[in-house]
Short mmCIF file of all heavy atoms in Angstrom, two decimals:
data_model
loop_
_atom_site.label_atom_id
_atom_site.label_comp_id
_atom_site.label_asym_id
_atom_site.label_seq_id
_atom_site.Cartn_x
_atom_site.Cartn_y
_atom_site.Cartn_z
N ILE A 1 -72.67 81.03 -103.64
CA ILE A 1 -71.58 80.63 -104.53
C ILE A 1 -72.12 79.88 -105.74
O ILE A 1 -71.72 80.15 -106.88
CB ILE A 1 -70.52 79.81 -103.78
CG1 ILE A 1 -69.76 80.73 -102.82
CG2 ILE A 1 -69.56 79.13 -104.75
CD1 ILE A 1 -68.76 80.02 -101.92
N CYS A 2 -73.02 78.94 -105.54
CA CYS A 2 -73.56 78.18 -106.67
C CYS A 2 -74.27 79.09 -107.66
O CYS A 2 -74.11 78.96 -108.88
CB CYS A 2 -74.48 77.06 -106.20
SG CYS A 2 -75.89 77.59 -105.20
N VAL A 3 -75.02 80.04 -107.14
CA VAL A 3 -75.73 81.00 -107.99
C VAL A 3 -74.73 81.85 -108.76
O VAL A 3 -74.88 82.07 -109.97
CB VAL A 3 -76.68 81.89 -107.15
CG1 VAL A 3 -77.36 82.92 -108.02
CG2 VAL A 3 -77.70 81.04 -106.42
N GLY A 4 -73.70 82.30 -108.11
CA GLY A 4 -72.72 83.18 -108.72
C GLY A 4 -71.79 82.51 -109.71
O GLY A 4 -71.40 83.13 -110.70
N PHE A 5 -71.43 81.25 -109.48
CA PHE A 5 -70.46 80.58 -110.34
C PHE A 5 -71.08 79.84 -111.52
O PHE A 5 -70.37 79.52 -112.47
CB PHE A 5 -69.61 79.59 -109.54
CG PHE A 5 -68.40 80.21 -108.95
CD1 PHE A 5 -68.43 80.70 -107.65
CD2 PHE A 5 -67.23 80.33 -109.67
CE1 PHE A 5 -67.31 81.30 -107.09
CE2 PHE A 5 -66.10 80.91 -109.12
CZ PHE A 5 -66.14 81.41 -107.83
N CYS A 6 -72.36 79.56 -111.49
CA CYS A 6 -72.97 78.78 -112.58
C CYS A 6 -73.02 79.60 -113.87
O CYS A 6 -73.70 80.62 -113.95
CB CYS A 6 -74.38 78.35 -112.20
SG CYS A 6 -75.16 77.37 -113.52
N PRO A 7 -72.30 79.15 -114.91
CA PRO A 7 -72.27 79.89 -116.17
C PRO A 7 -73.58 79.80 -116.95
O PRO A 7 -73.80 80.57 -117.88
CB PRO A 7 -71.12 79.25 -116.94
CG PRO A 7 -70.99 77.89 -116.38
CD PRO A 7 -71.42 77.99 -114.94
N GLN A 8 -74.45 78.88 -116.57
CA GLN A 8 -75.72 78.68 -117.28
C GLN A 8 -76.93 79.19 -116.49
O GLN A 8 -78.06 78.98 -116.91
CB GLN A 8 -75.91 77.19 -117.61
CG GLN A 8 -74.81 76.61 -118.45
CD GLN A 8 -74.62 77.33 -119.77
OE1 GLN A 8 -75.59 77.73 -120.42
NE2 GLN A 8 -73.38 77.53 -120.17
N SER A 9 -76.70 79.83 -115.36
CA SER A 9 -77.79 80.36 -114.52
C SER A 9 -78.82 79.29 -114.17
O SER A 9 -80.03 79.52 -114.24
CB SER A 9 -78.46 81.55 -115.19
OG SER A 9 -77.52 82.58 -115.43
N VAL A 10 -78.33 78.13 -113.78
CA VAL A 10 -79.19 77.02 -113.39
C VAL A 10 -79.86 77.28 -112.04
O VAL A 10 -80.99 76.88 -111.82
CB VAL A 10 -78.38 75.70 -113.37
CG1 VAL A 10 -79.17 74.57 -112.73
CG2 VAL A 10 -77.94 75.33 -114.78
N PHE A 11 -79.17 77.98 -111.17
CA PHE A 11 -79.67 78.24 -109.82
C PHE A 11 -80.29 79.62 -109.71
O PHE A 11 -79.93 80.54 -110.43
CB PHE A 11 -78.53 78.13 -108.80
CG PHE A 11 -77.90 76.79 -108.75
CD1 PHE A 11 -76.78 76.50 -109.53
CD2 PHE A 11 -78.42 75.78 -107.95
CE1 PHE A 11 -76.19 75.25 -109.50
CE2 PHE A 11 -77.83 74.53 -107.90
CZ PHE A 11 -76.72 74.26 -108.69
N ASN A 12 -81.18 79.74 -108.76
CA ASN A 12 -81.77 81.02 -108.41
C ASN A 12 -81.89 81.05 -106.90
O ASN A 12 -81.64 80.04 -106.24
CB ASN A 12 -83.14 81.18 -109.07
CG ASN A 12 -83.51 82.62 -109.32
OD1 ASN A 12 -83.00 83.52 -108.65
ND2 ASN A 12 -84.38 82.84 -110.27
N GLU A 13 -82.25 82.18 -106.33
CA GLU A 13 -82.42 82.30 -104.87
C GLU A 13 -83.85 82.67 -104.55
O GLU A 13 -84.47 83.47 -105.26
CB GLU A 13 -81.49 83.38 -104.32
CG GLU A 13 -80.02 83.04 -104.44
CD GLU A 13 -79.13 84.17 -103.95
OE1 GLU A 13 -79.53 85.34 -104.01
OE2 GLU A 13 -78.01 83.86 -103.53
N ASP A 14 -84.36 82.11 -103.45
CA ASP A 14 -85.70 82.49 -103.01
C ASP A 14 -85.63 83.82 -102.26
O ASP A 14 -84.57 84.45 -102.18
CB ASP A 14 -86.35 81.38 -102.18
CG ASP A 14 -85.68 81.11 -100.85
OD1 ASP A 14 -84.86 81.93 -100.39
OD2 ASP A 14 -85.98 80.06 -100.25
N GLU A 15 -86.73 84.25 -101.70
CA GLU A 15 -86.81 85.57 -101.06
C GLU A 15 -85.92 85.73 -99.83
O GLU A 15 -85.62 86.85 -99.43
CB GLU A 15 -88.26 85.92 -100.71
CG GLU A 15 -88.96 84.95 -99.78
CD GLU A 15 -89.51 83.71 -100.47
OE1 GLU A 15 -89.62 83.66 -101.71
OE2 GLU A 15 -89.80 82.75 -99.77
N VAL A 16 -85.46 84.61 -99.25
CA VAL A 16 -84.55 84.70 -98.11
C VAL A 16 -83.11 84.32 -98.48
O VAL A 16 -82.27 84.15 -97.60
CB VAL A 16 -85.05 83.86 -96.90
CG1 VAL A 16 -86.35 84.42 -96.35
CG2 VAL A 16 -85.19 82.40 -97.27
N GLY A 17 -82.84 84.14 -99.77
CA GLY A 17 -81.49 83.88 -100.22
C GLY A 17 -81.09 82.43 -100.32
O GLY A 17 -79.93 82.12 -100.59
N ARG A 18 -82.03 81.50 -100.10
CA ARG A 18 -81.71 80.07 -100.23
C ARG A 18 -81.72 79.69 -101.70
O ARG A 18 -82.65 80.00 -102.42
CB ARG A 18 -82.71 79.21 -99.47
CG ARG A 18 -82.59 79.42 -97.96
CD ARG A 18 -83.24 78.31 -97.17
NE ARG A 18 -82.57 77.04 -97.29
CZ ARG A 18 -81.47 76.69 -96.62
NH1 ARG A 18 -80.91 77.53 -95.79
NH2 ARG A 18 -80.95 75.50 -96.78
N PRO A 19 -80.68 78.99 -102.16
CA PRO A 19 -80.64 78.60 -103.58
C PRO A 19 -81.60 77.47 -103.88
O PRO A 19 -81.93 76.66 -103.01
CB PRO A 19 -79.20 78.15 -103.77
CG PRO A 19 -78.78 77.66 -102.43
CD PRO A 19 -79.49 78.54 -101.44
N TYR A 20 -82.05 77.42 -105.11
CA TYR A 20 -82.84 76.31 -105.62
C TYR A 20 -82.50 76.11 -107.09
O TYR A 20 -82.02 77.03 -107.76
CB TYR A 20 -84.34 76.52 -105.39
CG TYR A 20 -84.93 77.70 -106.12
CD1 TYR A 20 -85.50 77.54 -107.39
CD2 TYR A 20 -84.94 78.96 -105.55
CE1 TYR A 20 -86.05 78.63 -108.05
CE2 TYR A 20 -85.49 80.04 -106.20
CZ TYR A 20 -86.06 79.86 -107.45
OH TYR A 20 -86.60 80.93 -108.12
N VAL A 21 -82.73 74.91 -107.58
CA VAL A 21 -82.48 74.59 -108.98
C VAL A 21 -83.65 75.14 -109.78
O VAL A 21 -84.79 74.72 -109.60
CB VAL A 21 -82.32 73.07 -109.19
CG1 VAL A 21 -82.09 72.76 -110.65
CG2 VAL A 21 -81.18 72.54 -108.34
N ASP A 22 -83.37 76.10 -110.64
CA ASP A 22 -84.41 76.79 -111.39
C ASP A 22 -84.47 76.35 -112.85
O ASP A 22 -85.53 76.39 -113.45
CB ASP A 22 -84.15 78.31 -111.32
CG ASP A 22 -85.28 79.13 -111.87
OD1 ASP A 22 -86.45 78.72 -111.72
OD2 ASP A 22 -85.02 80.20 -112.44
N ALA A 23 -83.35 75.91 -113.41
CA ALA A 23 -83.30 75.56 -114.83
C ALA A 23 -82.37 74.36 -115.05
O ALA A 23 -81.34 74.47 -115.72
CB ALA A 23 -82.86 76.75 -115.65
N GLU A 24 -82.74 73.22 -114.48
CA GLU A 24 -81.90 72.03 -114.56
C GLU A 24 -81.59 71.65 -116.01
O GLU A 24 -80.49 71.19 -116.32
CB GLU A 24 -82.58 70.86 -113.85
CG GLU A 24 -81.72 69.62 -113.77
CD GLU A 24 -82.35 68.55 -112.90
OE1 GLU A 24 -83.39 68.00 -113.31
OE2 GLU A 24 -81.81 68.29 -111.82
N GLU A 25 -82.52 71.90 -116.91
CA GLU A 25 -82.33 71.55 -118.32
C GLU A 25 -81.20 72.35 -118.98
O GLU A 25 -80.64 71.95 -119.99
CB GLU A 25 -83.63 71.74 -119.11
CG GLU A 25 -84.08 73.18 -119.26
CD GLU A 25 -84.78 73.79 -118.04
OE1 GLU A 25 -85.04 73.07 -117.05
OE2 GLU A 25 -85.06 75.00 -118.08
N ALA A 26 -80.81 73.47 -118.38
CA ALA A 26 -79.72 74.30 -118.91
C ALA A 26 -78.34 73.83 -118.46
O ALA A 26 -77.33 74.25 -119.00
CB ALA A 26 -79.93 75.75 -118.51
N CYS A 27 -78.30 72.93 -117.49
CA CYS A 27 -77.02 72.46 -116.93
C CYS A 27 -76.21 71.72 -117.99
O CYS A 27 -76.72 70.86 -118.70
CB CYS A 27 -77.29 71.53 -115.75
SG CYS A 27 -75.79 70.88 -114.98
N THR A 28 -74.93 72.08 -118.08
CA THR A 28 -74.01 71.44 -119.02
C THR A 28 -73.12 70.41 -118.33
O THR A 28 -72.32 69.76 -118.99
CB THR A 28 -73.13 72.48 -119.73
OG1 THR A 28 -72.35 73.17 -118.75
CG2 THR A 28 -73.96 73.45 -120.54
N GLY A 29 -73.22 70.31 -117.00
CA GLY A 29 -72.42 69.35 -116.26
C GLY A 29 -71.00 69.80 -116.01
O GLY A 29 -70.12 68.99 -115.74
N CYS A 30 -70.74 71.10 -116.05
CA CYS A 30 -69.38 71.61 -115.84
C CYS A 30 -68.87 71.33 -114.43
O CYS A 30 -67.68 71.20 -114.21
CB CYS A 30 -69.30 73.10 -116.15
SG CYS A 30 -70.10 74.19 -114.94
N GLY A 31 -69.78 71.24 -113.46
CA GLY A 31 -69.41 70.89 -112.09
C GLY A 31 -68.90 72.03 -111.23
O GLY A 31 -68.46 71.80 -110.11
N LEU A 32 -68.93 73.28 -111.73
CA LEU A 32 -68.43 74.40 -110.92
C LEU A 32 -69.19 74.53 -109.61
O LEU A 32 -68.60 74.80 -108.57
CB LEU A 32 -68.51 75.70 -111.71
CG LEU A 32 -67.44 75.92 -112.76
CD1 LEU A 32 -67.71 77.21 -113.53
CD2 LEU A 32 -66.07 75.98 -112.12
#
């Protein structure tokens, strides 16, 4: 959900589908 809803593509998934913060600097603080 976090990967799918983030309008700035801040999150990414590893090879097993676990999310991680990939681009924190792109976060606008929308809170979705």
Side-chain angles (χ1 to χ4, degrees):
I1 290 175
C2 57
V3 177
F5 272 94
C6 181
Q8 301 302 321
S9 301
V10 169
F11 298 93
N12 207 337
E13 294 177 332
D14 66 15
E15 58 279 345
V16 294
R18 293 198 67 80
Y20 64 92
V21 179
D22 190 34
E24 186 172 68
E25 68 281 354
C27 180
T28 61
C30 72
L32 283 176

